[in-house]
Amino acid sequence: MAICTVYTTQSLNSTCSISTPTKTHLGFHHKQVVFYSPGKKASKRGAYTCNPYVITCAAAGGTVVIGLAADSGCGKSTFMRRLTSVFGGAAEPPKGGNPDSNTLISDTTTVICLDDYHSLDRYGRKEKKVTALDPRANDFDLMFEQVKALKDGVAVEKPIYNHVTGLLDPPEFIKPPKILVIEGLHPMYDQRVRDLLDFSIYLDISNEVKFAWKIQRDMAERGHSLESIKASIEARKPDFDAYIDPQKQYADAVIEVLPTQLIPDDNEGRVLRVKLIMKEGVKYFNPVYLFDEGSTISWIPCGRKLTCSYPGIKFAYGPDAYFGNEVSVLEMDGQFDRLDELIYVESHLSNLSTKFYGEVTQQMLKHSDFPGSSNGTGLFQTIVGLKIRDLYEQILASKAAAPVQATKAH
Ligand SMILES: Nc1ncnc2c1ncn2[C@@H]1O[C@H](COP(=O)(O)OP(=O)(O)OP(=O)(O)O)[C@@H](O)[C@H]1O
Ligand SMILES: O=C(CO)[C@H](O)[C@H](O)COP(=O)(O)O
C-alpha cells in the first residue's frame, strides 16, 4: 500500500475527500494517508492523484446548492439546459462513466438527478406496491449525507438509478462543483436536505398541461399508448398530491404553468399562461419587476413594437401572498411570434440580473429550438437562470469578503 502525502494550505479535515477505486472516505484520517497543513504546495482546489488514491479538495467558499423540484415530464431537463447555458460551456455526463448516468457536468455546474436516491428499484417498488414518488422508495439519509458532503466540498460515490433497466447501478464518483443542482421529485421534501439549499425552484405544471406534454413525449419518444399514459398519470396522482406538490410552499421561486385565459374554454393547451412567483426577502435574490416595483400592472405589449397574432399576449405583475409568504408575481399569457422582438419586453423588466442589455433575448434566441421558447415557460426559466448566476456570484463575493471584514474588525 502506498503512503500518500499531500501538502496544502487549507485544513483537509472538513474540506477533502479521498477515494480509492472502490470506496470514498469522507473527511479524515484515513490510515494510509498523511496530511500536512499548512504545507509547501499551496492549492485551494483540485483533485490529486496519488496512486491508488484520488484526493479532492473543495473550492474556497464551498459549493452553492440549488434545488429544482417537479414531477416527471414537467420540463426539468429543459430548464437545466437553459440554466447551464447561462454559465457557458456544455453540460455532459461524467466522462468514461456509466452511459446511463443521469448526471450532467459542466465547468461550473453539476446537475444530479435525485432518482439516483431511489432505495427501491423498479422491481422492488412493484413488489412493495409503492410508486417512486413515495418517500419509502427513496433514501433520504443518503441524499442528505451526500448533498451535505458535496456542499462542504467533499466528493462522494453517488448511486445511479438506471432508467433503462430500472435497476440500481454501481455508484459514480462526483466531485464537489461550484454549483450543485439537485433536480427531481423530492429536493425539498426532507427538512435536512431543504436546509442545505441556497435557492429552490418548483415547476408547477397544471394537470391539463402536464397531460399534453407527457402525451407528446411518451407517445412520440417512448412508444407508450395514450391509455397507458393516462393510467400512469392517474396512478401517480395520490402520491404526487401527498409528497411532491406540497414542496412548492418551500420554493423561493415557482414557475406555474396554466391553460391560457386569452381563448375562452381553450382545450388545445397550445397557448399557455405562465406565472413566475418570487418570494420576497430571500437573501441574494431580488425579484424581477415590470415597470414599477410593488405596483399592480396589467400590460398588453402588442402593437407597433411587438407582433402578436391571435390570441395576443398579456403581461401582469404585482404583489401577492403564497402559502402565507409575501411574493411578487410576474405573469405572461400568450406566445411570441418573433423572438427577436422580445427585447421590447425585456427593456420593460427590471432586476433581471443580466450582464448586458438584451442578455435575456440573446439566451432565448440561442435556444429557440427548446420547448417553451415562444412562451412564458422559456422566458421565466431563462430569467431564473440569470438570477441563480447572480445569487452564486453574490455568495462567492460575500465569502471572499468575509476574512477581510474579520481582519478589519480587529
Ligand atoms: N416549456 C415547455 N413547453 C412545451 N413542452 C414542454 C416544455 N417543457 C417540457 N415540455 C415537454 O415535456 C417533455 C418533458 O420535458 P423534460 O424532459 O424537460 O422534463 P423532465 O421533467 O426532465 O422529465 P423526466 O423527469 O421524466 O425526465 C418534453 O419532451 C417536451 O415535449
Ligand atoms: O418519476 C420518476 C422520476 O422522474 C420516475 O418515474 C422514477 O424515477 C421511476 O423511473 P422508471 O419509471 O424509469 O423506473
Side-chain angles (χ1 to χ4, degrees):
M1 272 278 192
I3 292 189
C4 297
T5 306
V6 171
Y7 298 95
T8 176
T9 51
Q10 59 181 340
S11 162
L12 292 174
N13 286 337
S14 59
T15 58
C16 292
S17 70
I18 180 163
S19 76
T20 65
T22 54
K23 196 162 171 48
T24 298
H25 303 271
L26 308 178
F28 286 96
H29 298 287
H30 187 248
K31 59 178 184 294
Q32 264 87 34
V33 184
V34 182
F35 291 103
Y36 293 102
S37 172
K40 292 172 197 155
K41 288 184 190 165
S43 177
K44 288 197 173 110
R45 179 172 198 267
Y48 308 83
T49 306
C50 185
N51 241 346
Y53 304 104
V54 174
I55 296 143
T56 311
C57 295
T63 292
V64 171
V65 186
I66 310 293
L68 173 67
D71 197 3
S72 161
C74 286
K76 296 186 296 292
S77 314
T78 311
F79 187 7
M80 281 305 103
R81 288 197 287 161
R82 288 192 197 277
L83 174 69
T84 46
S85 157
V86 164
F87 287 96
E92 287 165 359
K95 285 200 175 61
N98 185 332
D100 293 327
S101 165
N102 302 307
T103 303
L104 284 175
I105 298 176
S106 72
D107 287 348
T108 323
T109 60
T110 291
V111 180
I112 61 173
C113 174
L114 296 179
D115 293 352
D116 289 333
Y117 293 100
H118 288 335
S119 51
L120 295 176
D121 63 18
R122 197 175 290 157
Y123 307 93
R125 292 196 299 272
K126 200 167 176 191
E127 193 187 306
K128 294 222 159 50
K129 296 191 170 51
V130 292
T131 71
L133 299 87
D134 192 314
R136 288 173 296 175
N138 296 277
D139 187 344
F140 288 100
D141 289 344
L142 185 65
M143 189 192 294
F144 165 66
E145 191 185 298
Q146 296 205 333
V147 174
K148 176 156 184 3
L150 289 167
K151 188 171 174 109
D152 290 344
V154 177
V156 300
E157 291 271 357
K158 183 188 60 54
I160 299 175
Y161 177 73
N162 188 321
H163 280 97
V164 181
T165 61
L167 297 171
L168 287 157
D169 283 353
E172 61 187 354
F173 185 66
I174 305 288
K175 287 191 272 180
K178 292 178 182 158
I179 301 175
L180 172 71
V181 184
I182 56 169
E183 62 95 353
L185 297 170
H186 303 101
M188 285 102 90
Y189 179 80
D190 183 288
Q191 192 188 336
R192 296 166 303 168
V193 180
R194 197 161 71 229
D195 288 347
L196 295 171
L197 301 177
D198 292 290
F199 194 76
S200 54
I201 307 125
Y202 185 90
L203 299 183
D204 189 6
I205 315 298
S206 64
N207 283 334
E208 301 94 315
V209 177
K210 195 192 286 187
F211 190 58
W213 288 2
K214 234 179 148 42
I215 286 176
Q216 234 176 65
R217 184 187 67 175
D218 290 359
M219 281 179 80
E221 295 171 23
R222 302 189 176 176
H224 297 305
S225 70
L226 185 62
E227 283 317 308
S228 73
I229 298 166
K230 272 187 192 163
S232 129
I233 291 179
E234 282 310 310
R236 291 168 69 99
K237 184 117 189 9
D239 282 353
F240 173 78
D241 291 343
Y243 309 119
I244 312 305
D245 195 57
Q247 293 176 92
K248 63 189 180 194
Q249 66 188 293
Y250 304 116
D252 298 316
V254 175
I255 297 179
E256 193 175 296
V257 185
L258 304 152
T260 183
Q261 285 185 335
L262 300 174
I263 306 171
D265 302 320
D266 175 63
N267 52 17
E268 247 184 71
R270 202 178 46 85
V271 182
L272 299 174
R273 173 178 166 228
V274 187
K275 289 181 171 190
L276 174 57
I277 301 165
M278 299 162 280
K279 213 180 248 177
E280 295 287 345
V282 175
K283 203 169 179 192
Y284 306 122
F285 174 65
N286 286 323
V288 174
Y289 64 88
L290 179 64
F291 292 115
D292 183 35
E293 193 169 15
S295 296
T296 297
I297 313 265
S298 177
W299 182 41
I300 296 176
C302 306
R304 288 189 194 162
K305 294 177 182 156
L306 194 75
T307 315
C308 298
S309 54
Y310 179 81
I313 298 178
K314 193 171 170 183
F315 276 87
Y317 162 77
D320 207 342
Y322 188 76
F323 290 97
N325 293 307
E326 206 185 312
V327 294
S328 283
V329 181
L330 179 64
E331 179 181 319
M332 175 185 163
D333 196 348
Q335 54 192 30
F336 300 110
D337 282 357
R338 293 187 45 177
L339 261 191
D340 54 333
E341 291 177 349
L342 174 60
I343 190 74
Y344 174 61
V345 171
E346 180 175 350
S347 64
H348 291 82
L349 292 167
S350 300
N351 268 352
L352 283 170
S353 300
T354 47
K355 289 208 188 282
F356 53 88
Y357 177 70
E359 192 177 9
V360 172
T361 307
Q362 190 202 58
Q363 280 292 330
M364 290 283 285
L365 282 167
K366 195 167 149 192
H367 301 301
S368 56
D369 56 331
F370 285 8
S373 289
S374 61
N375 62 39
T377 58
L379 176 61
F380 295 161
Q381 287 177 3
T382 303
I383 290 175
V384 172
L386 294 167
K387 300 303 291 183
I388 289 173
R389 181 182 66 187
D390 185 48
L391 176 116
Y392 164 69
E393 288 173 356
Q394 287 189 61
I395 292 177
L396 217 61
S398 77
K399 287 192 172 154
V404 176
Q405 277 162 5
T407 315
K408 274 186 191 158
H410 283 97

